Amino acid sequence: MTSVTPEIRQRVERLRQQLLKANYAYYVLDNPIMEDSVYDRLYRELQDLETQYPELIVPDSPTQRVGDRPASQFTSVRHNIPLYSLENAFSLEELAKWQERWQRVVPDIKQVEYVCELKIDGNALALTYENGVFVRGVTRGDGVTGEDITHNVRTIRSIPLRLHLETPPPIVEVRGEAFLPLDEFDRINQERAQAGEPLFANPRNAAAGTLRQLDPKIVDKRRLKFFAYTLHLPNHNTLKSQWEALEFLKEMGFAVNPNCKLCQSLKEVEEYFQYWETGRRTLPYMTDGIVVKINDFQLQEKLGFTQKFPRWAIALKYPAEEAPTIVKEIAVNVGRTGAVTPIAIMEPVHLAGTIVQKATLHNSDRIAQLDIRVGDTVIVRKAGEIIPEVVRVMHELRPPDSQPFQMPTHCPECGSQLVRLAGEAVTRCVNSSCPAILRASIVHWASRDALDIRGLGEKIVILLIENGSIESIADLYDLKPEQIASLERMGTKSAENLVNAIAQSKEQPWSRVLYGLGIRYVGSVTAKLLADNFPCVEQLSQASIAALESVYGIGAEIAESVYDWFKIPANQMLIRRLQAAGLQLASTSTSKGDRPRALAGKTFVITGTLPTLTRDEAKDLIEKAGGKVTGSVSAKTDYLVVGEKAGSKLEKAQQLGITQLTESQLLDILQKS
């Protein structure tokens, strides 16, 4: 039997005292001091320790109280209109600050109407209707591209296959949330339990898994529902507000959440939020907050977007699931911008459906605010239910010998002195040769959304840096198979595959290269915006701050960052080396001498099995030549590419008199482009 150490005895006593205090506050004072989930976790920890060390059980332990609480594949498609994410607020104070921010942009406007909608905990979808008929359903994805799950979306009975309008607009795009009602979630998990299958962690995960089923019959059986909340009508100016748009969505046959409200002030918004914090418990579906939008569309247009979010909307979230755990270590991580981020390494804890062992501590200011130390019991939650963070320290459970944490004064990777610039909360390593910065930059360059170099993971990058093979992103394109084969656990075949993957990355488009450069504030969506407006690196590198800011969606912060990046000599040298290596530093149309692309403005549909090309390959060739590929035949279709076993699309094309092409005819056209 394991002996009881003083540390274990002390831990048990502190847990016991804290739980007794919580019991008193909850049952006697009717004023809880901790969440139920936190209480349960601490209770279970005490229970486990007492089971392991029964000699520590005492009659007044909370565990001894009588009656105490018991222990395939889908096609990736580009969205017609990007799906921006929303900024999150986690308190009414943050909501008020949001209002102050947008009022600074339009100082002449103080009083506005807001539309409040419940934030449904599901999966965002973009639905496209042509002439009133549903033609495409796409997941949110990264906001620019998503997965085409049209067949599955058709099974959702609250989504109309035809709009309830006598004269529908030519094109309508509707955004909304697909979700799984709670009774369906329970039913599905009961069936999975009986079948010995793993249970879904929550309704949102269940909805996501359902939408990605390859068999639409399974989707149909799971009875997903859908609430519409956004409407896009190109060249249609009759709707003046979000509230009118919601009413029009109802007219078109969509289910709109019945609990939305038009509010005349921020005070009414706060009352709505507070009401539903408890009222949501009675709803037949999950909601994790509310969405607040400025009602007037004209004002929305004036406010525009930051680099990530619309200024005219915000998500106000209810407190996320929280859990207690113990800090084992506080480490620091040096990122690709040199930012030194402290990280809490913790005992593993189950949180919002995942196992969490690390949580960001953001910066030295946050550490001082929390007064967090190794050995502390902390409460962890997922910020926005995505990124784990420490929200508070339970100082009552702190070990007596704990020591305050001090941020390092020198970089843990290169030894350079760290700096904290005026006006910034972040401590940085400013040594551009720092191995950590280089490592993170190359890992980012190889990531899926950037150059997508398969096989170039962090471990390989570390080995290549340590043996001196690479000192820059550009060095990747000089690597020889024998250099890689000499690395630990890398054979000749693996080395050849990696060299080939690096070579293939030269075909990635300009927007991905731009994202891969890791310019501060330039995410994948922003990189696409910049690449669309500055179709080659020469134009972007010579653009003024004013020219950059003139792009819709590009703010002053991004503009200054991009401008400054291209003025650094080392970055100019990197661009020259990447050009010499053959990377795509211009959009397709400009990289071929600005020749007009043969298929520009033409719309294609592909049907049947082609002799040599897959549909994705044919689609890629058409799009590179300037064409557009859609999933259904309409009067706007210019060409139908026909393979074997063509179905109803061929019949419809014949009825509409649309030109048909074989694969060889398509390739002939492409060769001339």
Side-chain angles (χ1 to χ4, degrees):
M1 179 180 293
T2 308
S3 60
V4 180
T5 64
E7 290 78 11
I8 292 173
R9 189 179 298 277
Q10 186 180 73
R11 178 67 179 175
V12 167
E13 181 58 27
R14 290 181 178 274
L15 283 168
R16 198 177 286 143
Q17 291 175 3
Q18 187 66 11
L19 289 170
L20 288 170
K21 187 186 298 184
N23 272 334
Y24 178 78
Y26 186 92
Y27 289 108
V28 179
L29 302 180
D30 196 24
N31 184 26
I33 60 173
M34 69 173 65
E35 295 79 2
D36 288 355
S37 60
V38 173
Y39 181 98
D40 291 341
R41 301 273 186 160
L42 296 176
Y43 184 96
R44 177 63 64 85
E45 181 184 353
L46 176 61
Q47 193 175 49
D48 290 344
L49 286 170
E50 289 180 345
T51 300
Q52 188 174 359
Y53 306 101
E55 63 269 38
L56 296 180
I57 298 175
V58 295
D60 63 342
S61 172
T63 63
Q64 304 303 302
R65 183 188 296 275
V66 177
D68 201 357
R69 59 185 74 190
S72 140
Q73 187 171 354
F74 297 98
T75 304
S76 179
V77 296
R78 189 181 182 92
H79 288 296
N80 298 324
I81 304 166
L83 275 77
Y84 282 86
S85 56
L86 293 178
E87 181 181 1
N88 286 326
F90 295 96
S91 68
L92 295 178
E93 290 76 15
E94 292 182 14
L95 177 68
K97 289 179 181 177
W98 165 73
Q99 179 175 261
E100 291 171 4
R101 287 197 299 273
W102 73 252
Q103 286 177 340
R104 286 197 293 270
V105 179
V106 283
D108 53 320
I109 298 176
K110 298 296 182 184
Q111 195 71 22
V112 300
E113 291 182 330
Y114 297 103
V115 173
C116 290
E117 305 165 48
L118 294 179
K119 189 175 184 299
I120 308 302
D121 200 12
N123 299 90
L125 298 180
L127 314 178
T128 303
Y129 289 77
E130 294 181 0
N131 298 312
V133 178
F134 172 67
V135 295
R136 192 174 81 160
V138 183
T139 63
R140 183 186 184 280
D142 63 3
V144 176
T145 59
E147 290 183 318
D148 189 329
I149 56 168
T150 302
H151 292 303
N152 287 348
V153 173
R154 285 181 177 277
T155 68
I156 302 175
R157 306 305 171 92
S158 49
I159 293 177
L161 297 181
R162 180 181 291 275
L163 300 179
H164 299 181
L165 300 174
E166 290 187 8
T167 55
I171 294 288
V172 176
E173 182 147 329
V174 173
R175 306 283 171 78
E177 201 83 2
F179 64 95
L180 197 64
L182 292 174
D183 57 353
E184 279 301 303
F185 173 71
D186 292 338
R187 181 186 65 81
I188 292 168
N189 264 352
Q190 287 174 9
E191 290 179 356
R192 294 176 74 85
Q194 291 170 1
E197 298 174 342
L199 304 186
F200 287 119
N202 53 57
R204 181 176 55 188
N205 288 350
T210 298
L211 288 169
R212 300 197 78 258
Q213 285 287 332
L214 294 177
D215 186 355
K217 293 179 181 177
I218 296 176
V219 184
D220 186 37
K221 290 178 180 177
R222 291 189 180 171
R223 304 168 193 166
L224 289 169
K225 290 189 176 182
F226 179 84
F227 281 141
Y229 53 66
T230 301
L231 175 64
H232 293 283
L233 293 169
N235 304 316
H236 197 283
N237 300 318
T238 58
L239 298 177
K240 304 297 183 184
S241 69
Q242 171 67 10
W243 193 256
E244 289 182 16
L246 292 176
E247 292 299 319
F248 192 51
L249 284 166
K250 295 177 191 176
E251 291 179 26
M252 290 194 295
F254 287 95
V256 171
N257 191 281
N259 300 305
C260 54
K261 183 180 179 181
L262 182 61
C263 297
Q264 302 301 319
S265 66
L266 203 65
K267 178 66 175 174
E268 285 191 35
V269 173
E270 293 173 355
E271 291 171 354
Y272 178 91
F273 175 74
Q274 289 166 339
Y275 173 82
W276 284 109
E277 186 167 10
T278 53
R280 64 194 178 116
R281 309 297 179 193
T282 64
L283 295 171
Y285 45 80
M286 294 291 289
T287 177
D288 57 355
I290 68 170
V291 175
V292 185
K293 301 174 185 174
I294 289 176
N295 189 34
D296 184 80
F297 282 165
Q298 191 173 10
L299 182 52
Q300 287 186 11
E301 188 173 351
K302 283 183 181 179
L303 289 169
F305 297 79
T306 67
Q307 63 266 29
K308 294 182 180 179
F309 314 115
R311 289 191 179 91
W312 43 265
I314 194 166
L316 181 56
K317 305 293 285 291
Y318 292 116
E321 179 186 339
E322 299 181 349
T325 186
I326 298 173
V327 178
K328 296 164 56 180
E329 177 188 354
I330 298 178
V332 294
N333 177 65
V334 183
R336 58 187 169 86
T337 65
V340 179
T341 305
I343 297 171
I345 312 298
M346 308 169 297
E347 295 284 355
V349 61
H350 193 79
L351 186 64
T354 59
I355 301 297
V356 172
Q357 291 180 276
K358 297 180 180 180
T360 178
L361 297 174
H362 301 290
N363 51 54
S364 56
D365 288 349
R366 181 60 175 161
I367 287 180
Q369 182 184 28
L370 289 168
D371 183 23
I372 187 171
R373 307 179 185 186
V374 173
D376 276 343
T377 300
V378 296
I379 305 302
V380 186
R381 76 174 175 199
K382 287 191 176 180
E385 299 188 2
I386 298 173
I387 304 170
E389 67 172 358
V390 174
V391 292
R392 65 181 180 276
V393 176
M394 301 186 73
H395 296 104
E396 302 90 342
L397 299 177
R398 169 170 288 167
D401 57 348
S402 67
Q403 297 295 319
F405 175 78
Q406 299 293 331
M407 284 286 286
T409 57
H410 290 74
C411 177
E413 297 272 355
C414 69
S416 300
Q417 187 167 354
L418 300 176
V419 301
R420 180 173 172 176
L421 301 177
E424 286 197 2
V426 178
T427 302
R428 294 184 186 277
C429 174
V430 294
N431 174 19
S432 59
S433 301
C434 175
I437 297 175
L438 175 61
R439 179 176 69 242
S441 298
I442 294 176
V443 170
H444 173 72
W445 177 265
S447 64
R448 186 177 63 180
D449 291 338
L451 279 291
D452 195 18
I453 303 176
R454 305 294 174 87
L456 187 59
E458 186 173 14
K459 291 181 179 178
I460 300 298
V461 171
I462 291 171
L463 292 173
L464 289 169
I465 292 173
E466 287 179 346
N467 73 3
S469 295
I470 53 175
E471 297 179 354
S472 161
I473 289 170
D475 290 338
L476 291 172
Y477 298 91
D478 296 329
L479 285 173
K480 301 294 188 292
E482 53 268 25
Q483 289 176 276
I484 300 173
S486 65
L487 300 177
E488 183 181 351
R489 297 183 181 178
M490 287 293 287
T492 302
K493 184 63 177 176
S494 298
E496 291 175 354
N497 289 341
L498 182 52
V499 168
N500 289 336
I502 293 170
Q504 288 171 8
S505 73
K506 296 179 183 181
E507 302 301 316
Q508 295 289 5
W510 162 223
S511 62
R512 281 183 173 240
V513 175
L514 178 55
Y515 172 60
L517 292 173
I519 301 173
R520 197 173 176 194
Y521 305 128
V522 177
S524 57
V525 174
T526 301
K528 289 182 175 68
L529 278 175
L530 289 169
D532 287 343
N533 287 273
F534 301 94
C536 65
V537 71
E538 288 80 9
Q539 291 185 25
L540 183 61
S541 63
Q542 295 168 17
S544 65
I545 291 178
L548 290 164
E549 281 192 73
S550 69
V551 176
Y552 183 69
I554 302 297
E557 202 172 37
I558 303 174
E560 291 176 10
S561 177
V562 172
Y563 180 85
D564 291 343
W565 192 92
F566 280 104
K567 299 307 174 191
I568 297 173
N571 295 337
Q572 296 169 0
M573 174 61 73
L574 173 62
I575 293 297
R576 289 195 290 270
R577 289 190 62 193
L578 293 176
Q579 283 178 317
L583 273 293
Q584 301 295 317
L585 296 173
S587 298
T588 307
S589 58
T590 57
S591 62
K592 294 185 178 181
D594 288 328
R595 292 185 301 174
R597 292 185 286 177
L599 306 184
K602 301 297 182 182
T603 300
F604 288 73
V605 173
I606 304 170
T607 185
T609 304
L610 302 180
T612 64
L613 298 173
T614 66
R615 288 199 185 191
D616 284 346
E617 289 169 341
K619 179 175 180 287
D620 188 52
L621 290 171
I622 291 168
E623 289 179 344
K624 284 182 177 178
K628 175 184 176 183
V629 179
T630 63
S632 61
V633 175
S634 72
K636 294 186 176 181
T637 304
D638 295 294
Y639 297 101
L640 180 72
V641 181
V642 183
E644 290 185 10
K645 298 181 181 179
S648 58
K649 292 178 184 177
L650 176 58
E651 295 176 9
K652 187 170 183 180
Q654 291 170 338
Q655 293 171 3
L656 296 173
I658 292 167
T659 303
Q660 298 158 39
L661 299 175
T662 63
E663 181 188 287
S664 60
Q665 290 172 324
L666 171 66
L667 293 174
D668 286 342
I669 295 173
L670 292 169
Q671 287 173 359
K672 297 174 184 177
S673 62

